[in-house]
């Protein structure tokens, strides 16, 4: 019987990724592993993170500044360890990736290069109620350019009475804005509802309107399959502390399609770490960028942050991202099945905000709780289940393929029902 705990045990027993759970540190309470469904907020720590961090500390201790050039992994080339595994996760060429800064900073930097308003073509299409940091980025960036954000931003939101944004409404807004549209900057997965967007269709529609198209992939990178290069996306940015398990305040990354790497006319805010590698240390006047996404790098990166990122990417490489996606889809379907069953048993208690179509959802499921949501959330916490509470009435959970188990999903739904 699919509803029984035994069924969850059977799924775990036949899960080809089951052993990867042992590579993570699972939080405990009273000697018991807790159910951690917050991989969408801060991914758990790989056991090998400490090893890779210590390697950098040792190298610093042994060689001082020469650590950039000496030791097992000279810091000058450390970036190469990151872009190959990351390319497999986001569907890019390694040369199209730069691991640097953090998400909001990178969004500002990409705006410098890809938001080039000209004449009446100055509008930006974005999600209504985008994550606050993205909203503040737009507001302040546009003001710095002398624009009134209200006259530039075209926010597309859900229809009245609906939680998710219809894909056709996004495309229609792009068509309507037409030759006034300079940029579409959209999210890959909505942080509140867990809705996954059709990024390829948005890219094509934006390009057909003569605009540039970029994505904020904070909740998409390491969660859903992406094919940024083939989809012809102009740029994208993400953080690596959510599904990418690289630690609190981890280093972010950006994708810049290779067709821009040699385009001298693009504006950018530069620094010495984006300068041509062969001649960087001659320290000459006049900026000459690396002819890859690394040409957008500004500052000396921290090998400590690189090391934490590497520990996680290395696990994704061994597990194979396509296998992670497969398990994530199975987990999402199983969670959905149990939740819909619970809805039948106890009608009218909660709604699922996340779309049911597998193409429109990733790991996360958002539940709108009709009454007593806050108390329910506290009860779950009490029972050792880490979920996420969003005012006024939403509980978000995200079972992830690398360290969560089907039996945890069963326990969560059991507890919810109780
Ligand atoms: C998590 C998240 C952020 C956070 O930005 P940081 O600069 O990494 O603090 C921004 N935007 C979205 C959509 C997010 O989900």
């Amino acid at each position: 019987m699919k509803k029984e705990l035994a069924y969850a045990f059977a799924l775990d027993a036949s899960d080809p990724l089951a052993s990867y759970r042992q590579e993570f540190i699972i939080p405990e309470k009273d000697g018991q592993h807790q159910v951690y469904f917050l991989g969408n907020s801060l991914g758990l720590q790989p056991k090998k993170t400490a090893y890779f961090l210590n390697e950098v500390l040792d190298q610093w201790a042994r060689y001082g500044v020469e650590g950039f050039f000496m030791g097992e992994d000279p810091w000058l080339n450390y970036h190469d360890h990151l872009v190959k595994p990351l390319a497999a996760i986001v569907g890019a060429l390694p040369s199209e990736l730069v691991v640097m800064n953090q998400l909001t900073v990178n969004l500002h930097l990409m705006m410098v290069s890809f938001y080039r308003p000209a004449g009446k073509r100055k509008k930006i299409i974005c999600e209504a109620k985008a994550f606050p940091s993205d909203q503040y980025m737009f507001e302040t960036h546009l003001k710095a350019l002398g624009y009134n954000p209200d006259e530039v931003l075209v926010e597309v939101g859900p229809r009245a009475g609906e939680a998710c944004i219809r894909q056709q409404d996004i495309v229609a807004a792009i068509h309507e804005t037409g030759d006034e549209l300079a940029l579409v900057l959209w999210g890959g997965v909505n942080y509140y509802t867990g809705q996954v967007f059709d990024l390829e269709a948005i890219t094509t529609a934006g390009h057909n309107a003569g605009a540039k198209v970029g994505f904020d992939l904070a909740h998409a990178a390491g969660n859903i399959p992406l094919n940024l290069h083939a989809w012809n996306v102009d740029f994208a940015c993400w953080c690596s502390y959510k599904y990418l398990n690289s630690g609190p305040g981890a280093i972010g990354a950006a994708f810049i399609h290779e067709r821009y790497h040699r385009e001298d006319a693009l504006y950018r805010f530069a620094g010495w770490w984006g300068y041509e590698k062969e001649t960087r240390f001659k320290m000459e006047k006049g900026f000459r960028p690396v002819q890859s996404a690394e040409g957008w790098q500004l500052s000396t990166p921290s090998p400590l942050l690189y090391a934490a990122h590497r520990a996680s990417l290395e696990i994704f490489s061994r597990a194979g991202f396509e296998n992670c996606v497969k398990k994530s889809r199975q987990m999402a379907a199983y969670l959905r099945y149990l939740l819909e069953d619970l809805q039948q048993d106890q009608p009218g208690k909660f709604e699922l905000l996340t779309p049911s179509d597998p193409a429109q959802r990733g790991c996360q499921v958002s539940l709108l709780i009709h009454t007593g949501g806050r108390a329910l959330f506290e009860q779950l916490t009490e029972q050792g289940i880490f979920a996420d509470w969003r005012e006024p009435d939403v509980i978000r959970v995200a079972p992830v393929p690398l360290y969560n188990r089907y039996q945890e999903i069963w326990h969560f739904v059991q507890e919810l029902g109780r």
Side-chain angles (χ1 to χ4, degrees):
M1 255 297 272
K2 213 172 159 184
K3 277 171 68 172
E4 307 297 325
L5 178 58
Y7 185 78
F9 277 130
L11 288 173
D12 283 323
S14 63
D15 168 16
L17 295 183
S19 65
Y20 287 94
R21 178 177 166 85
Q22 289 155 25
E23 301 198 25
F24 289 86
I25 303 172
I26 315 288
E28 290 181 18
K29 191 171 150 188
D30 307 326
Q32 294 274 334
H33 279 144
Q34 294 187 270
V35 174
Y36 193 81
F37 282 166
L38 287 178
N40 57 342
S41 183
L42 179 66
L44 288 183
Q45 182 184 147
K47 289 180 181 163
K48 274 195 92 174
T49 303
Y51 167 84
F52 284 110
L53 284 171
N54 269 318
E55 198 182 54
V56 174
L57 292 174
D58 284 347
Q59 197 153 307
W60 179 22
R62 194 167 307 174
Y63 303 112
V65 72
E66 293 298 322
F68 277 98
F69 312 101
M70 297 174 68
E72 281 286 296
D73 286 311
W75 303 329
L76 209 55
N77 307 326
Y78 210 104
H79 192 261
D80 299 343
H81 293 303
L82 309 176
V83 285
K84 241 179 104 181
L86 200 50
I89 295 173
V90 299
L93 304 174
S95 64
E96 291 174 317
L97 300 176
V98 55
V99 177
M100 61 174 187
N101 311 319
Q102 288 179 292
L103 173 55
T104 311
V105 173
N106 289 337
L107 285 172
H108 276 291
L109 295 175
M110 292 301 111
M111 285 278 285
V112 170
S113 292
F114 294 100
Y115 177 59
R116 305 307 311 165
K120 68 173 182 176
R121 196 182 276 286
K122 64 175 187 196
K123 295 204 167 162
I124 299 175
I125 286 186
C126 64
E127 279 169 274
K129 295 197 186 153
F131 191 89
S133 204
D134 302 49
Q135 292 185 41
Y136 308 148
M137 180 281 293
F138 282 129
E139 179 188 333
T140 57
H141 198 106
L142 291 170
K143 280 184 181 163
L145 292 175
Y147 288 122
N148 174 352
D150 295 336
E151 287 170 9
V152 170
L153 292 174
V154 179
E155 298 186 343
V156 183
R159 294 186 188 181
E162 297 184 6
C164 293
I165 304 173
R166 296 195 194 189
Q167 184 70 27
Q168 79 227 50
D169 290 354
I170 307 169
V171 173
I174 292 172
H175 280 306
E176 274 162 36
T177 314
D179 61 3
E180 293 183 8
L181 183 63
L183 174 69
V184 180
L185 180 40
W186 200 266
V189 179
N190 183 279
Y191 80 99
Y192 191 72
T193 61
Q195 178 184 12
V196 172
F197 297 102
D198 184 343
L199 305 188
E200 185 176 21
I202 293 173
T203 306
T204 304
H207 286 169
N208 286 343
K212 295 282 191 278
V213 180
F215 294 107
D216 179 332
L217 301 178
H219 280 263
N223 174 12
I224 59 167
L226 296 166
N227 222 337
L228 300 177
H229 177 82
W231 294 341
N232 242 344
V233 171
D234 294 302
F235 70 92
C237 306
W238 55 93
C239 51
S240 63
Y241 48 81
K242 292 174 180 168
Y243 292 99
L244 291 173
N245 311 323
S246 302
I251 197 160
F255 161 90
I256 298 141
H257 199 283
E258 67 169 348
R259 64 179 166 273
Y260 298 110
H261 295 178
R262 286 156 208 272
E263 206 177 292
D264 293 335
L266 275 191
Y267 285 88
R268 60 178 110 192
F269 284 172
W272 74 321
W273 225 260
Y275 194 92
E276 194 179 73
K277 289 185 186 179
E278 301 72 38
T279 52
R280 181 179 298 161
F281 296 107
K282 288 190 176 167
M283 315 272 207
E284 285 174 342
K285 196 176 165 71
F287 179 66
R288 296 157 61 104
V290 182
Q291 308 245 297
S292 74
E294 280 187 79
W296 272 262
Q297 174 87 274
L298 281 77
S299 295
T300 319
S302 165
L304 288 166
L305 295 181
Y306 275 176
H309 198 21
R310 181 181 181 184
S312 168
L313 292 175
E314 197 257 334
I315 298 176
F316 275 98
S317 285
R318 274 187 288 116
F321 188 57
E322 62 291 351
N323 299 323
C324 296
V325 168
K326 217 183 208 173
K327 178 175 171 189
S328 147
R329 286 188 170 150
Q330 268 189 26
M331 288 184 121
Y334 178 61
L335 172 57
R336 183 118 203 154
Y337 166 81
L338 292 180
L339 287 173
E340 284 174 352
D341 186 68
L342 178 60
Q343 270 179 321
Q344 287 194 339
D345 279 359
Q346 303 189 29
K349 296 275 175 68
F350 66 93
E351 281 166 52
L352 298 170
L353 295 184
T354 314
S356 57
D357 173 7
Q360 286 189 67
R361 65 181 196 218
C363 295
Q364 179 183 321
V365 170
S366 302
L367 307 169
L368 188 147
I369 312 293
H370 285 303
T371 47
R374 177 88 217 180
L376 172 61
F377 167 74
E378 279 161 11
Q379 178 69 17
L380 289 171
T381 309
E382 187 75 8
Q383 295 303 317
I385 296 168
F386 280 88
D388 170 279
W389 174 250
R390 290 283 134 167
E391 292 291 346
D393 49 16
V394 170
I395 290 177
R396 305 183 304 168
V397 286
V400 303
L402 282 174
Y403 51 78
N404 285 126
R405 299 196 277 198
Y406 292 90
Q407 54 194 273
E408 295 178 299
I409 294 175
W410 189 90
H411 281 299
F412 164 69
V413 178
Q414 190 74 5
E415 200 53 43
L416 198 68
R418 214 166 67 83

